[in-house]
């Protein structure tokens, strides 16, 4: 949800759309700099969560961050930015920050993974004492991005010095676009079995629910409304019926807009809740 007007306004917008949880950027996601968060902003945000009964607040880190970058200056700037993102989430009382692992660009996948591990180790050292957990997002595999294979996430989790403040955010569109099938129940179970074998079920702390504008394995990150993309409804039906994830919060990242007088957030939520009711 947009934080235009204040963090508390994002909570109010989530409530008005019928959401039970909310994801926000704590700063402009296309800029490095971030204005200081005032005590008043923190108070209003926390009061809004209680007033509107919206739980499980989640922060998404800036898209500018690239922890896999071979460029020393950009890599250092990305680590600094991740530290700030973690500190801001802690200030607001948000328990998790979702981050894209990064892209190795002119380097190699192996070196990119090592850079991510080193970056996360540095961020962990510099934020000792904070409770906030960093969630590595599954990626579609566009370009040289890391995280499109579950094995990438496993290598990162195994490589860091201390993984207790790391988890995984599963994005349905990204996983599908990366080539993991989920249409039939057998396919869904095989995909989830592979994920759990690589990272462990307890590491999966959040889901992004998005259909895909590209076909399975396209490796293109383009979100679509639930049931209106190449995924269709079946993968979401399987996921919502999976009791292993009954207590894991799920967030929409579908395109914004209005149709027939209703926001697309409301429409997508109604579609998902219809599947859950079935």
């Amino acid at each position: 949800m947009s934080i235009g007007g204040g963090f508390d306004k994002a909570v109010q917008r989530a409530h008005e759309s019928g959401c039970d949880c909310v994801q926000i950027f704590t700063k402009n996601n296309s800029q490095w700099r971030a204005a200081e968060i005032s005590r008043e902003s923190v108070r209003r945000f926390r009061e809004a969560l209680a007033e509107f009964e919206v739980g499980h607040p989640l922060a998404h880190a800036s898209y500018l961050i690239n922890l896999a970058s071979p460029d020393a200056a950009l890599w250092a700037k990305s680590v600094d930015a991740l530290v700030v993102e973690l500190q801001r989430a802690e200030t607001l009382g948000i328990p998790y920050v979702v981050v894209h692992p990064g892209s190795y660009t002119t380097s190699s996948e192996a070196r990119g993974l090592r850079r991510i591990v080193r970056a996360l180790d540095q961020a962990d050292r510099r934020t000792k004492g904070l409770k906030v957990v960093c969630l590595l997002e599954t990626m579609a595999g566009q370009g040289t991005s890391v995280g499109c294979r579950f094995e990438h996430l496993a290598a990162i989790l195994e490589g860091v010095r201390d993984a207790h403040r790391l988890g995984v955010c599963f994005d349905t569109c990204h996983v599908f676009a990366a080539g993991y099938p989920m249409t039939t129940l057998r396919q869904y179970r095989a995909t989830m079995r592979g994920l759990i074998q690589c990272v462990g079920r307890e590491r999966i702390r959040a889901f992004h629910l998005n259909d895909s504008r590209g076909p399975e394995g396209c490796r293109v990150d383009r979100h679509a409304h639930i049931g209106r993309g190449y995924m269709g409804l079946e993968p979401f039906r399987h996921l919502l019926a999976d009791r292993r994830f009954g207590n894991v919060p799920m967030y929409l990242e579908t395109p914004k807009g209005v149709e027939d007088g209703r926001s697309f957030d409301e429409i997508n939520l109604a579609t998902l809740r219809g599947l859950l009711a079935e």
Side-chain angles (χ1 to χ4, degrees), residues 84-276:
V84 170
E85 295 277 8
L86 294 171
Q87 292 170 336
R88 291 173 71 83
E90 184 85 2
T91 296
L92 288 164
I94 298 176
Y96 300 114
V97 173
V98 176
V99 64
H100 294 178
S103 298
Y104 57 84
T105 63
T106 60
S107 181
S108 68
E109 181 182 289
R111 190 179 177 202
L113 287 167
R114 290 195 295 271
R115 299 284 275 179
I116 294 168
V117 167
R118 185 180 166 203
L120 292 172
D121 280 342
Q122 275 206 23
D124 181 51
R125 283 196 301 270
R126 291 169 58 182
T127 58
K128 284 295 184 188
L130 302 190
K131 296 179 181 179
V132 62
V133 171
C134 184
L135 301 185
L136 302 171
E137 184 169 354
T138 56
M139 302 305 294
Q142 192 164 320
T144 60
S145 66
V146 176
C148 57
R149 308 307 303 168
F150 299 152
E151 291 79 7
H152 293 170
L153 303 179
I156 295 169
L157 291 168
E158 292 168 5
V160 295
R161 294 176 181 174
D162 186 355
H164 84 280
R165 287 176 57 206
L166 289 177
V168 170
C169 175
F170 183 105
D171 186 299
T172 54
C173 167
H174 296 174
V175 170
F176 177 80
Y180 290 97
M182 291 184 286
T183 302
T184 68
L185 184 57
R186 177 175 292 185
Q187 289 173 335
Y188 169 82
R189 286 174 172 168
T191 291
M192 284 305 180
R193 183 165 58 249
L195 174 67
I196 290 171
Q197 287 174 349
C198 281
V199 306
R201 185 178 64 82
E202 72 285 350
R203 294 271 185 204
I204 305 167
R205 307 290 181 86
F207 285 90
H208 286 165
L209 302 187
N210 308 295
D211 206 324
S212 174
R213 288 171 55 187
E216 179 188 314
C218 67
R219 296 174 71 96
V220 175
D221 180 3
R222 294 292 184 272
H223 297 182
H225 298 297
I226 305 299
R228 301 191 187 186
Y230 278 90
M231 292 180 67
L233 292 176
E234 292 308 304
F236 301 99
R237 195 189 310 274
H238 303 322
L239 176 57
L240 293 173
D242 194 333
R243 295 184 179 182
R244 293 172 297 181
F245 307 118
N247 291 321
V248 180
M250 301 180 179
Y251 306 81
L252 285 172
E253 285 188 331
T254 44
K256 299 294 185 182
V258 177
E259 181 179 77
D260 296 330
R262 301 170 68 200
S263 73
F264 276 119
D265 285 340
E266 294 176 273
I267 293 170
N268 286 308
L269 281 171
T271 300
L272 291 167
R273 285 172 176 153
L275 296 177
L276 188 59

Side-chain angles (χ1 to χ4, degrees), residues 7-12 14-15 19-24 41-58 89 91-95 251:
F7 300 115
D8 56 306
K9 298 301 182 184
V11 178
Q12 183 176 344
H15 169 73
C19 300
D20 297 319
C21 55
V22 63
Q23 175 180 266
I24 64 171
S41 293
V42 174
R43 182 188 66 78
R44 285 162 41 191
F45 176 66
R46 295 181 179 181
E47 286 181 352
L49 290 171
E51 177 185 351
F52 296 114
E53 297 182 338
V54 173
H56 304 287
L58 180 68
T91 296
L92 288 164
I94 298 176
Y251 306 81

